[in-house]
Amino acid sequence: PFSYNYVEAQWGFVDIDGDAEETDLTSVSILADMVGATFLRVERFGENYNDNNGLTLNGSWLAIGLGFRKPLSDAVDIYGIGSYLTGDVFAEFDGSSAAIEERGLGITAGMRFRAAPSVELGAAFDWVDFGDGVDESVVSLTGFFDANDTVSIGARVMVHDDAEALTMGLRIHF
């Protein structure tokens, strides 16, 4: 069985449209079991982009979602999450600046697979609609190694509409 009670921190890089410059990506999420097969997910993530031409972009997002999980076996879980997202993006270039606030709804469908007693693999599809004609989709693959019953370390690869990301992370189970 899989734990849905943990805090996870991720840090990594995003490559936007094959641009040689990279964006820092950080996230902290909390998953907590609720009643039956439901769980709560709260995630805070941010991106910081600086290019060689003086453009700076900073984004900060908060996602709050309710999830449902279904074990298919002792080694496989599938899950779905519906989320509300809110975020701010700040841009600065050549002395000018602008800020944008975004609100949206997201849907996640995923799978967790216990490949070995201490190895978890996962795949997920995320889709977000910001309601202004802009929607985003992300496919992610994850791998975590359980160092012990409390701590797991891992990595995630994400492919976005216009970007790819690689993050490394730490999970603390409670």
Side-chain angles (χ1 to χ4, degrees):
F2 292 91
S3 169
Y4 285 82
N5 288 310
Y6 59 82
V7 175
E8 181 178 302
Q10 294 273 335
W11 177 81
F13 298 101
V14 179
D15 181 20
I16 301 173
D17 275 337
D19 189 349
E21 293 136 2
E22 293 180 332
T23 301
D24 294 331
L25 174 67
T26 56
S27 72
V28 175
S29 56
I30 300 170
L31 271 73
D33 264 328
M34 295 179 57
V35 178
T38 61
F39 61 95
L40 176 69
R41 179 179 73 175
V42 177
E43 182 174 20
R44 180 76 164 174
F45 53 99
E47 294 178 291
N48 298 305
Y49 174 80
N50 296 296
D51 75 4
N52 294 329
N53 299 314
L55 174 64
T56 299
L57 296 172
N58 295 305
S60 179
W61 302 90
L62 175 66
I64 301 172
L66 182 63
F68 178 80
R69 66 180 187 283
K70 172 73 175 155
L72 298 181
S73 72
D74 285 344
V76 178
D77 266 14
I78 58 173
Y79 63 90
I81 305 170
S83 299
Y84 172 75
L85 289 89
T86 180
D88 300 303
V89 177
F90 178 77
E92 188 173 18
F93 180 71
D94 199 26
S96 298
S97 63
I100 301 170
E101 291 183 19
E102 291 274 75
R103 309 286 181 265
L105 298 176
I107 297 172
T108 301
M111 175 209 107
R112 296 171 75 183
F113 171 65
R114 180 67 60 192
S118 295
V119 177
E120 176 188 325
L121 302 177
F125 175 79
D126 293 283
W127 179 78
V128 177
D129 184 357
F130 291 109
D132 55 4
V134 176
D135 62 350
E136 307 276 338
S137 59
V138 178
V139 174
S140 60
L141 301 173
T142 59
F144 275 89
F145 172 75
D146 299 336
N148 56 43
D149 290 341
T150 306
V151 177
S152 300
I153 55 173
R156 176 174 287 129
V157 174
M158 295 175 280
V159 179
H160 183 276
D161 292 338
D162 301 325
E164 298 80 38
L166 174 63
T167 63
M168 297 184 332
L170 176 70
R171 265 187 200 167
I172 307 295
H173 301 269
F174 55 91

